[in-house]
Amino acid sequence: AVLMDYSSIICLAVLTLNLAQKKQWNPLINIFKGGIIPAALYIFYHAYCFDAFWVTAAHFSNPAFLNKSHVGGLINLSQIDRYTLFLILFSSQIGLLTFMPVLIFAPLGYIAALRQKRDPILIHTGIGIIIIMLIFHMSFNGWYGGNVMGPRYQIIALPFWVLGLLYLKTCKPWNYFLS
């Protein structure tokens, strides 16, 4: 996933931290083994095409869109505000919950899973990724995604929103409606 969308490295970092905290070493080793060859090919590709081992797309951005005071010219954690979050979730152009309203129930599923102490690593990873990706999206100087329809920068977090829906079935009041 990191090879397709750089922001997915955030998901990998959250998962790694959760697994390390719980001392789950075998899954970490498997993640490393599964990623070493694609990472090596990726590094070779970048070295061959761009004369550098690690070059992001932002490196080739028009300087007019970059701000020297922002991390990588793009990220500014001090510009996060509730209104941007509202637009990311509910606007008619990119609103995650506007395009996929069923996801509004995902937090209820996560609450049910936390109360039942089900799959703590997976639950904490999912919640962490959703929150971090929203913060990342809000801090990005092009958070609106250009002239697009849909939550372009939330695609990486979508599986974790859906994961919350899977746990929704374990909520007792919802069992009647979902069975």
Side-chain angles (χ1 to χ4, degrees):
V2 173
L3 304 181
M4 303 309 283
D5 189 333
Y6 299 123
S7 63
S8 65
I9 201 160
I10 295 168
C11 300
L12 182 61
V14 171
L15 178 61
T16 300
L17 289 173
N18 277 325
L19 289 172
Q21 180 186 14
K22 307 288 189 217
K23 298 184 178 167
Q24 299 284 326
W25 305 116
N26 283 339
L28 277 175
I29 291 168
N30 289 336
I31 289 169
F32 177 76
K33 289 191 305 190
I36 193 73
I37 291 173
L41 292 171
Y42 183 74
I43 289 169
F44 171 75
Y45 168 79
H46 273 267
Y48 183 78
C49 294
F50 306 116
D51 294 325
F53 291 113
W54 180 260
V55 179
T56 64
H59 178 75
F60 300 103
S61 293
N62 183 336
F65 297 115
L66 301 177
N67 187 326
K68 301 255 188 236
S69 67
H70 296 177
V71 176
L74 302 169
I75 305 298
N76 182 9
L77 292 174
S78 66
Q79 78 179 21
I80 295 174
D81 64 15
R82 282 180 257 154
Y83 184 66
T84 303
L85 176 61
F86 175 80
L87 292 174
I88 290 168
L89 294 176
F90 298 106
S91 76
S92 62
Q93 185 175 354
I94 66 162
L96 178 72
L97 300 176
T98 304
F99 279 83
M100 295 163 267
V102 70
L103 295 180
I104 202 161
F105 298 109
L108 296 175
Y110 277 122
I111 290 168
L114 286 170
R115 286 185 179 163
Q116 296 170 11
K117 297 179 174 39
R118 296 181 54 146
D119 305 321
I121 293 174
L122 188 58
I123 297 306
H124 291 124
T125 299
I127 293 169
I129 287 170
I130 289 170
I131 291 170
I132 290 171
M133 291 307 296
L134 284 169
I135 291 170
F136 176 76
H137 191 172
M138 290 186 305
S139 67
F140 183 54
N141 70 354
W143 62 266
Y144 45 85
N147 192 20
V148 299
M149 294 299 290
R152 172 182 172 188
Y153 296 122
Q154 288 299 309
I155 290 172
I156 293 298
L158 284 179
F160 301 98
W161 282 91
V162 173
L163 180 64
L165 295 177
L166 292 175
Y167 288 107
L168 187 62
K169 190 169 182 176
T170 65
C171 292
K172 288 187 175 133
W174 294 99
N175 282 342
Y176 176 76
F177 298 106
L178 297 175
S179 33

